[in-house]
Amino acid sequence: MSSTDLDNKAKSILIENDQGGYTIPTKGLYPYQWNWDSVFVALGFDTFDQNRAWREIEMLFEGQWRDGMVPHILFRKDDPSYFPGPSVWGTDGGPIPSSGHSQPPVAASVVQTLVEHDRTGTAQERAAALLPKLMDWHRWYLAYRDPKNLGVIAVIHPWESGRDNLPDWDDALRAVEVKDIAPYERKDTSHVDPAMRPHKEDYDRYLSIVAACRNVGWDPARVAETCPFFVADPGVTFIFLRANRDLLKLAERLGRNREAEEIRGWIARMEKGAKTLWHEGLKAHVAFDERSGKLSDGISSASFLAPYAGIADDTTLSALQAHFDRIASKVRYLMPSYDPDHKGYEPLRYWRGPVWAMINYMIAQGFAEAGDTARAERLRADTARLIETGGFAEYFSPETGAGAGGGAFSWTSAIWLSWASPSHAKQAA
């Protein structure tokens, strides 16, 4: 296909996955509204229908909980093709049935992008309506995912990280006792090759964590205190730090001085806290298990999000550039979700190795802002080639470029339209 044909195909995927104001990730495998999927999808709609882009985010915030959390899944309809559904989660925190935890908070960053790209004249008004909701979500993160004021954001479940079966979670998951789960039938492996999905023993522990949180009524303070899994994640931490910087820009643009001052305090706390995740031996930021006090032993694609978060000092940037070049010598396409030199690396099993387009987008943005345009362009070019050869897949093999997981995927289509497409690159030049 030509780039124009791919542009048109990507648009058609977003339109076909549109459920009337919100978008499902792909038909069959993911039939509901997912949090960070929706926000990235807004970037795609932004290229051809800005009103629809705003609507995507506004509908996500319709599901915001009373305590400020924005859940990772909104169950807007009953679909038996997906497990675990609302009855397993057992939540009542918001106006729409939902899961019980959140997902990487990219919304503020995408709202800031929509404001910068505005062609409608309504962006400031819509951003102003979202600002209090974004503030409440960010306050929730700081209160309940960093209760000890470490300046890093923990996740209570691998699913909350958005990177479900990452090797970084293996040790912490092994410490989770399998209990309080009823017999269940997974649906994901009927849609996708099981070799591309998490193992059953992982799923047993995933559901045990859900049960533990359900047993305390999803009270966020009790969850943070008692959940058997509580791991500070460089991915969520760096995305959150970046989101705070973008939220500060929004607050300043809107003249919200009190909010701006509050956000500056958050940024200072996070900049200091990020040092907690630095692994001196690996020369990278890694996960930190707050229950055991141990750092993880591998480099994930999230380690490369430090510049995206504004952490691009000489030590960090030079270390990441060295890792980038080393990994580039091991695989054909960047950036694998886990270091191919690590024992936990698997090139086609979900987050244990495959390339994800939206992660490449964020990594590239960080490198470009740090002045490393060559590595940023390498990531864009690799992402474009993966889509050109593997289609609009959920993720891709870093070794062969084969598309894997779900097909006709919304956020892959959105990243093509907003960043990876040669058509977009020419317009941006």
Side-chain angles (χ1 to χ4, degrees):
M1 281 190 186
S2 69
S3 61
T4 301
D5 290 338
L6 287 167
D7 292 347
N8 292 333
K9 177 63 175 174
K11 289 179 185 178
S12 71
I13 288 171
L14 295 186
I15 292 167
E16 289 165 11
N17 286 342
D18 183 353
Q19 303 297 296
Y22 74 93
T23 307
I24 59 171
T26 190
K27 293 176 181 176
L29 183 59
Y30 301 113
Y32 298 113
Q33 184 178 18
W34 259 258
N35 185 321
W36 70 330
D37 291 73
S38 257
V39 178
F40 283 116
V41 161
L43 291 175
F45 279 118
D46 178 53
T47 65
F48 65 96
D49 187 345
Q50 288 194 316
N51 179 66
R52 180 61 184 76
W54 282 104
R55 192 68 192 124
E56 187 77 33
I57 296 174
E58 290 161 352
M59 286 197 73
L60 175 65
F61 277 86
E62 288 177 359
Q64 186 166 31
W65 279 25
R66 293 180 291 275
D67 62 16
M69 185 188 78
V70 183
H72 102 288
I73 306 172
L74 296 181
F75 299 112
R76 290 184 172 273
K77 57 187 178 182
D78 183 25
D79 193 321
S81 71
Y82 181 80
F83 177 86
S87 63
V88 176
W89 290 92
T91 67
D92 66 352
I96 299 171
S98 73
S99 59
H101 57 65
S102 199
Q103 251 189 339
V106 292
S109 296
V110 173
V111 168
Q112 168 64 13
T113 298
L114 296 183
V115 170
E116 290 176 346
H117 291 179
D118 184 46
R119 301 183 299 275
T120 68
T122 65
Q124 294 231 149
E125 179 182 349
R126 297 179 94 154
L130 284 168
L131 182 67
K133 300 174 184 181
L134 289 163
M135 293 291 296
D136 285 347
W137 190 19
H138 285 218
R139 292 183 186 115
W140 175 88
Y141 257 112
L142 290 160
Y144 302 118
R145 295 300 183 262
D146 185 23
K148 297 179 182 177
N149 293 313
L150 298 178
V152 292
I153 301 298
V155 293
I156 63 149
H157 197 294
W159 291 339
E160 189 165 57
S161 74
R163 294 146 52 240
D164 302 11
N165 65 332
L166 196 72
D168 287 353
W169 318 138
D170 289 355
D171 287 347
L173 267 183
R174 277 191 282 269
V176 173
E177 182 182 358
V178 176
K179 63 178 183 178
D180 296 333
I181 59 173
Y184 66 93
E185 179 184 353
R186 289 172 63 178
K187 305 293 186 178
D188 58 326
T189 49
S190 66
H191 296 289
V192 174
D193 184 346
M196 299 178 184
R197 303 293 294 178
H199 293 289
K200 183 184 184 301
E201 54 265 32
D202 295 329
Y203 240 82
D204 287 347
R205 290 182 169 88
Y206 296 159
L207 294 173
S208 296
I209 297 169
V210 170
C213 297
R214 190 178 62 236
N215 289 342
V216 298
W218 292 103
D219 176 271
R222 294 184 68 193
V223 165
E225 181 182 352
T226 65
C227 183
F229 187 99
F230 203 77
V231 182
D233 173 25
V236 174
T237 295
F238 290 148
I239 287 169
F240 185 64
L241 177 51
R242 172 58 180 249
N244 283 328
R245 297 191 196 280
D246 289 326
L247 192 60
L248 176 59
K249 292 178 184 176
L250 285 171
E252 290 174 339
R253 183 190 291 262
L254 296 168
R256 304 295 291 269
N257 296 328
R258 185 173 62 182
E259 288 87 345
E261 190 59 30
E262 184 178 3
I263 298 165
R264 290 186 191 102
W266 300 345
I267 292 170
R269 169 175 163 181
M270 301 290 296
E271 287 178 333
K272 181 179 178 182
K275 298 180 178 67
T276 304
L277 305 182
W278 181 256
H279 192 303
E280 183 60 30
L282 291 177
K283 301 294 183 186
H285 296 88
V286 300
F288 172 61
D289 186 342
E290 294 193 32
R291 299 292 188 238
S292 70
K294 294 180 180 178
L295 291 168
S296 59
D297 66 353
I299 296 169
S300 73
S301 53
S303 302
F304 292 90
L305 291 174
Y308 175 76
I311 299 173
D313 56 276
D314 289 344
T315 298
T316 302
L317 188 59
S318 62
L320 289 178
Q321 288 167 332
H323 287 307
F324 186 108
D325 295 345
R326 173 181 59 80
I327 291 172
S329 73
K330 304 283 184 178
V331 297
R332 187 174 177 185
Y333 300 98
L334 293 170
M335 177 59 71
S337 46
Y338 218 70
D339 190 339
D341 284 333
H342 190 273
K343 65 182 182 298
Y345 167 77
E346 296 180 73
L348 279 176
R349 195 179 293 278
Y350 213 37
W351 284 97
R352 301 181 76 86
V355 178
W356 295 73
M358 81 294 183
I359 299 291
N360 276 4
Y361 161 77
M362 292 187 288
I363 297 172
Q365 192 172 347
F367 272 114
E369 291 169 352
D372 191 343
T373 55
R375 289 182 178 83
E377 173 55 23
R378 167 69 193 272
L379 286 164
R380 192 206 64 78
D382 277 14
T383 306
R385 286 194 298 143
L386 285 167
I387 293 170
E388 287 164 355
T389 58
F392 293 100
E394 184 177 4
Y395 49 88
F396 304 87
S397 167
E399 297 178 0
T400 68
F409 219 83
S410 292
W411 67 11
T412 309
S413 304
I415 292 301
W416 171 268
L417 289 170
S418 62
W419 174 64
S421 169
S423 301
H424 180 271
K426 289 173 186 174
Q427 292 168 8

